[in-house]
Amino acid sequence: MLIIYITALHLAGKNDNQDIITLLLNQPGIELKEGTFKNCTKLTRFTFPSFATAIKDYTFYGCKSLVQISLPSFVTSINDYAFYGCSSLTQISLPYSLTSIGKYAFYGCSSLEEITLPVSVVYIGNYAFYGCSLQKQQKLIAP
């Protein structure tokens, strides 16, 4: 049954159907797997369910229309390639529980202009912010 929900989440993401995504995320036992929304090019926004503690590898890889993302306060890691190629993502608020950002996590997020890194972050992988506007503008801010 879980595989059906994950497939349905991916299809809903492909069509940016926010109502279906919300409905599916409220099902018991659902979790976001690696690559759940990979290449869902029409997905524009996403609010993580409160139970999420990690953003898995490739979760939003290639979601070039993703503009807005809301992370829950308990997320401790953003894994490898999580937001790779999300070229429309302009801002993301990182929770104070975050300790690691994987390699290539925000690679190619060319619209990302500002990010606040919590002091709790102890690991940032290679090329995590490569190709982001914030690299060019030096807007990397630590609280």
Side-chain angles (χ1 to χ4, degrees), residues 8-9 12-13 23 26 36 40 46 48 55 58 61 63 75-77 81 88 90-91 96 102 118 123 134 137-138 141:
L9 270 173
L23 176 71
N26 287 320
T36 297
C40 290
F46 186 80
F48 272 89
I55 314 304
Y58 300 95
Y61 182 101
C63 294
V75 168
T76 58
S77 64
Y81 301 91
S88 297
T90 57
Q91 188 175 12
Y96 287 105
Y123 173 78
L134 61 93
Q137 298 177 13
Q138 301 296 324
I141 302 168

Side-chain angles (χ1 to χ4, degrees), residues 12 15-23 43-47:
N15 294 302
D16 195 27
N17 191 326
Q18 297 295 321
D19 293 333
I20 298 294
I21 291 170
T22 301
L23 176 71
L43 186 65
T44 58
R45 60 186 157 71
F46 186 80
T47 300

